[in-house]
């Protein structure tokens, strides 16, 4: 059975959906397109809540040596790239398109395993990765809402996600848990994004934001920070309590639900070719889930 631990998995899907929709609302509906501030706020909230949870004994964090922390910093740089570029891309692209482009990050990890680490890769996995690649390449060609800046930042996001996964596979000290890594990511992101907010022009440009003093903006930002933290916690919990194949199945289900419901809440214009690309991407990820589950 693919979907085990239904309570934890369904909670993960719920927080994935809510977090994605809240971010899209702030970025595309309210048009708060100041990523150093928005992502800086989210990582600040996530870092504070994780620190409080640690001090209260709800989670365990053990930052052992300075050398290990420093060795993880390249991943933290990639993490900042993921959230910054992802914010830029999500503000311009429909959620299903954004997720389809994001899925193509598996091309990088699979390519690294096959051509650098010389690992044996099944024909089915190669086929699934090709599906993801074809969908990502064809989407800009057929997208009726084509936005070059949106796709540019989606490409940067894709590269950072793929590189982060590769780094994570290569860097595996036994003393560092996933929460330790996330804690460092949060701290590094807050420092870097806060430092970049003025040079990027976001700090003073945000003062002209029309909804700056509106309750719906404040509540949406608070919700985005809290939901991002809860999604992170449930992701870590689900990964630790299930196999990689079961986690991949839950992640796939969360993306399908989110992509399917998003056109009901956010404007999206699509033709047959665009929908075909999205279906191809979904088939590719479903095949990846199958290969992960069966070990082929």
């Amino acid at each position: 059975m693919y979907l085990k631990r239904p309570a934890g998995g369904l909670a993960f899907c719920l927080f994935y959906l809510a977090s994605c929709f809240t971010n899209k609302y702030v970025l595309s509906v309210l048009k708060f397109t100041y990523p150093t501030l928005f992502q800086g706020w989210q990582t600040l909230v996530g870092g504070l809540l994780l620190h409080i949870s640690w001090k209260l004994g709800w989670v365990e964090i053990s930052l052992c040596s300075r050398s290990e922390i420093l060795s993880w910093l390249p991943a933290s740089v990639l993490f900042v790239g993921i959230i910054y570029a992802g914010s830029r891309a999500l503000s311009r692209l429909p959620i299903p398109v954004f997720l389809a482009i994001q899925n193509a990050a598996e091309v990088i990890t699979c390519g690294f395993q096959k051509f650098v680490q010389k690992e044996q890769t099944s024909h089915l996995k190669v086929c699934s990765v090709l599906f993801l690649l074809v969908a990502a390449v064809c989407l800009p060609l057929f997208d009726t809402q084509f936005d070059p800046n949106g796709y540019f930042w989606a490409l940067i996001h894709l590269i950072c996600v793929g590189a982060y996964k590769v780094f994570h596979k290569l860097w595996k000290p036994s003393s560092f848990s996933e929460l330790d890594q996330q804690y460092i990511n949060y701290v590094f992101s807050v420092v870097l994004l806060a430092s970049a907010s003025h040079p990027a022009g976001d700090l003073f440009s945000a003062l002209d934001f029309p909804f700056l003093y509106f309750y719906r903006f404040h509540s949406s930002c608070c919700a985005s920070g809290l939901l991002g933290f809860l999604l992170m916690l449930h992701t870590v919990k689900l990964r630790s309590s299930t196999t990689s194949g079961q986690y991949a199945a839950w992640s796939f289900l969360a993306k399908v639900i989110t992509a399917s419901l998003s056109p009901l809440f956010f404007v999206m214009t699509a033709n047959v070719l665009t929908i075909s690309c999205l279906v191809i991407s979904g088939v590719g990820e479903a095949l990846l889930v199958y290969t992960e589950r069966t070990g082929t």
Side-chain angles (χ1 to χ4, degrees):
M1 183 178 179
Y2 286 116
L3 300 178
K4 295 183 178 180
R5 300 188 66 86
L10 290 174
F12 166 78
C13 292
L14 176 62
F15 287 122
Y16 188 96
L17 173 70
S19 179
C20 195
F21 275 25
T22 304
N23 289 341
K24 183 65 174 174
Y25 176 77
V26 174
L27 294 169
S28 295
V29 178
L30 299 181
K31 298 188 183 302
F32 187 74
T33 52
Y34 310 101
T36 57
L37 299 180
F38 186 51
Q39 296 304 321
W41 161 257
Q42 287 189 319
T43 52
L44 175 63
V45 172
L48 287 175
L49 291 176
L50 185 56
H51 186 79
I52 293 172
S53 300
W54 173 29
K55 293 304 181 181
L56 292 176
W58 296 344
V59 298
E60 184 177 348
I61 296 177
S62 54
L63 302 177
C64 298
S65 67
R66 182 178 298 179
S67 61
E68 286 187 341
I69 294 174
L70 291 176
S71 68
W72 179 253
L73 288 186
S76 294
V77 173
L78 291 172
F79 177 79
V80 174
I82 290 171
I83 60 176
Y84 182 90
S87 179
R88 288 279 193 184
L90 188 59
S91 68
R92 294 175 173 270
L93 299 178
I95 290 176
V97 173
F98 174 78
L99 294 178
I101 300 294
Q102 185 186 70
N103 287 344
E106 288 298 331
V107 175
I108 297 176
T109 57
C110 183
F112 181 83
Q113 291 172 344
K114 184 173 180 61
F115 298 110
V116 178
Q117 294 184 314
K118 305 297 182 182
E119 294 182 6
Q120 290 291 332
T121 306
S122 67
H123 294 302
L124 185 59
K125 187 170 185 178
V126 172
C127 182
S128 66
V129 169
L130 287 177
F131 275 20
L132 296 176
L133 180 60
V134 168
V137 170
C138 292
L139 264 174
L141 303 177
F142 304 133
D143 187 0
T144 56
Q145 294 177 288
F146 177 73
D147 185 316
N149 286 330
Y151 278 101
F152 169 76
W153 286 110
L155 176 62
I156 301 301
H157 175 74
L158 179 160
I159 293 171
C160 290
V161 171
Y164 187 90
K165 289 182 177 181
V166 169
F167 187 90
H168 195 272
K169 287 180 179 292
L170 295 176
W171 192 94
K172 289 184 177 180
S174 57
S175 59
F176 251 39
S177 69
E178 197 166 352
L179 284 177
D180 296 333
Q181 297 165 10
Q182 194 60 44
Y183 187 81
I184 298 171
N185 288 345
Y186 278 149
V187 173
F188 183 84
S189 299
V190 170
V191 173
L192 186 60
L193 292 170
S195 303
S197 62
H198 178 60
D202 291 351
L203 187 60
F204 293 108
S205 297
L207 296 176
D208 298 324
F209 179 62
F211 301 108
L212 186 61
Y213 301 104
F214 280 60
Y215 170 76
R216 57 176 170 167
F217 170 65
H218 299 159
S219 58
S220 298
C221 285
C222 290
S224 70
L226 178 60
L227 289 169
F229 171 72
L230 292 173
L231 175 61
M232 182 276 298
L233 276 186
H234 279 79
T235 301
V236 172
K237 182 178 179 181
L238 191 63
R239 279 178 177 162
S240 63
S241 61
T242 60
T243 65
S244 59
Q246 291 162 3
Y247 171 76
W250 280 114
S251 180
F252 174 65
L253 179 61
K255 291 178 183 178
V256 169
I257 293 173
T258 302
S260 300
L261 293 179
S262 65
L264 302 177
F265 298 91
F266 304 101
V267 176
M268 178 181 176
T269 304
N271 55 25
V272 174
L273 293 174
T274 303
I275 295 174
S276 298
C277 291
L278 297 176
V279 171
I280 290 172
S281 177
V283 171
E285 189 169 11
L287 289 175
L288 265 182
V289 171
Y290 179 77
T291 58
E292 191 72 32
R293 183 68 174 86
T294 59
T296 57

